[in-house]
Amino acid sequence: MISEILDDLFGRELLDAHPDEWGIADYCDHPSTVGYATTITPETIRTAVELSVDLIVTHHDAWDFMFEQRDEVQSLLKEYRLTHVWAHLPLDLADFGTSATLLSELGCSQVAVLPHAEARVGEFSEPGSLATVRASLTSLLSEAPCRMHDAGRPVLRVAAATGAGIYTTLVRDALSHDIDLYVTGETNLYLLEYSKYKDVNVLVYSHNYTELPGVRAFAHRIAGALNLDMKGHLGDSHW
């Protein structure tokens, strides 16, 4: 049943093309309550148990390179008889996905999809100050930016590359759509230096929380399709 829902949401062709970018661990025969987080961790699972959540929806799996943590996550899911559904690339690419939903909830209309389709460009109905957009994002994401560059220009167009949008190629591609602000969930020296050189505003929040609106949208679709109760956010780290 859950596999069929994912087919409807993302398309079988995309799922088959990227089998390592989504998954289902199905240990609960009849789930009744959905909770969500960007990243599944042992703490996420324990919170789900405390809240009587038996279906966890996330963006990130417990990846192989997390070693012992992955083993513990898999063991706890089995121990507590929980179902875990996750979608990484498919959710990034979806119209209700990570970057698209962030822009929508910020109040932007979508005007462009960047070449790799994981980042989007949106536009406000009228220009505003960086301080105003920063306040809106801080309220939406429940955290303050960890890095920023104020280019001293008003904001009309915004590029969102949620999660690991650290690549200068993404900024360059977004600049071809006349963006005034680049929003992402990770940074490095080169992203900030290039953005400063190109005179574009930058706001960097955390990887997990920039993706959370899209994860929430995904979880609501799963809950709605299965007619289950929605419990809410199970907690994420602010990084």
Side-chain angles (χ1 to χ4, degrees), residues 91 96-99 101-102 105 210-219:
L91 186 59
F96 61 87
T98 48
S99 294
T101 297
L102 179 62
E105 293 193 8
T210 55
E211 295 182 323
L212 195 57
V215 179
R216 181 168 55 244
F218 179 32

Side-chain angles (χ1 to χ4, degrees), residues 145-157:
C146 60
R147 294 287 188 277
M148 67 175 290
H149 171 62
D150 185 347
R153 60 192 285 181
V155 177
L156 179 63
R157 287 198 170 186

Side-chain angles (χ1 to χ4, degrees), residues 2 23-36 40-58 61 72-86 226 228 231 234:
I2 295 177
I24 304 168
D26 195 357
Y27 296 111
C28 180
D29 293 333
H30 301 289
S32 60
T33 306
V34 176
Y36 63 89
I40 191 165
T41 65
E43 291 78 11
T44 303
I45 295 171
R46 294 187 180 100
T47 300
V49 173
E50 291 173 3
L51 297 176
S52 298
V53 166
D54 42 29
L55 195 161
I56 301 172
V57 176
T58 71
D61 191 20
E72 184 176 357
V73 163
Q74 293 179 327
S75 177
L76 287 172
L77 287 171
K78 187 173 183 179
E79 176 184 349
Y80 289 111
R81 309 300 298 172
L82 304 178
T83 290
H84 174 220
V85 181
W86 64 279
L226 293 172
L228 303 182
K231 204 71 172 186
L234 301 175

Side-chain angles (χ1 to χ4, degrees), residues 67-128:
F67 309 119
E68 300 93 338
Q69 180 171 314
R70 175 178 172 82
D71 295 339
E72 184 176 357
V73 163
Q74 293 179 327
S75 177
L76 287 172
L77 287 171
K78 187 173 183 179
E79 176 184 349
Y80 289 111
R81 309 300 298 172
L82 304 178
T83 290
H84 174 220
V85 181
W86 64 279
H88 190 230
L89 180 63
L91 186 59
D92 284 331
L93 297 175
D95 288 337
F96 61 87
T98 48
S99 294
T101 297
L102 179 62
L103 287 172
S104 176
E105 293 193 8
L106 185 59
C108 293
S109 56
Q110 183 174 295
V111 296
V113 178
L114 295 189
H116 297 290
E118 298 172 36
R120 309 287 175 106
V121 175
E123 185 175 271
F124 290 110
S125 59
E126 59 183 28

Side-chain angles (χ1 to χ4, degrees), residues 2-35:
I2 295 177
S3 180
E4 294 172 358
I5 294 169
L6 296 185
D7 286 356
D8 290 340
L9 291 177
F10 303 119
R12 176 46 53 180
E13 183 177 354
L14 175 63
L15 296 177
D16 286 346
H18 303 282
D20 297 330
E21 291 286 332
W22 64 280
I24 304 168
D26 195 357
Y27 296 111
C28 180
D29 293 333
H30 301 289
S32 60
T33 306
V34 176

